[in-house]
Amino acid sequence: LGFYPEGYTVKLATGEDAVVLSSNPRNVFRPVVRLTTDSAGSTLVPDAQLVLDLSNRLDMRIVEISNSRQVTA
């Protein structure tokens, strides 16, 4: 179990919402996430939901975690 549990929704400093897909054992504060909204809060269609490894995206950081969990496929 990482610092950000898989399936939980997080808010990025850039304004997007994302779902945690997996933890990163090398840096628990930088998981792999899937974007679910854009920075304006609009829901992204599945084809536009980018998967990002935050360990490779130092310009993005998690600023909030939701207590709701989504099913990850």
Side-chain angles (χ1 to χ4, degrees), residues 6 13 17 20 25 35 38 43-44 46 49 52 55 60 66 70 72:
E6 293 177 17
D17 288 336
V20 176
L35 297 180
D38 63 19
T43 301
L44 297 171
Q49 294 181 356
L52 303 173
S55 68
M60 301 178 122
S66 170
Q70 293 187 10
T72 57

Side-chain angles (χ1 to χ4, degrees), residues 10-66:
V10 294
K11 173 76 75 180
L12 302 177
T14 51
E16 295 101 334
D17 288 336
V19 174
V20 176
L21 297 180
S22 63
S23 61
N24 180 347
R26 289 176 281 136
N27 187 340
V28 296
F29 298 106
R30 297 209 156 269
V32 176
V33 300
R34 178 175 36 87
L35 297 180
T36 56
T37 70
D38 63 19
S39 59
S42 298
T43 301
L44 297 171
V45 296
D47 288 343
Q49 294 181 356
L50 299 177
V51 174
L52 303 173
D53 180 348
L54 294 184
S55 68
N56 296 324
R57 293 296 307 262
L58 300 181
D59 60 321
M60 301 178 122
R61 63 184 174 86
I62 295 172
V63 294
E64 184 179 317
I65 184 168
S66 170

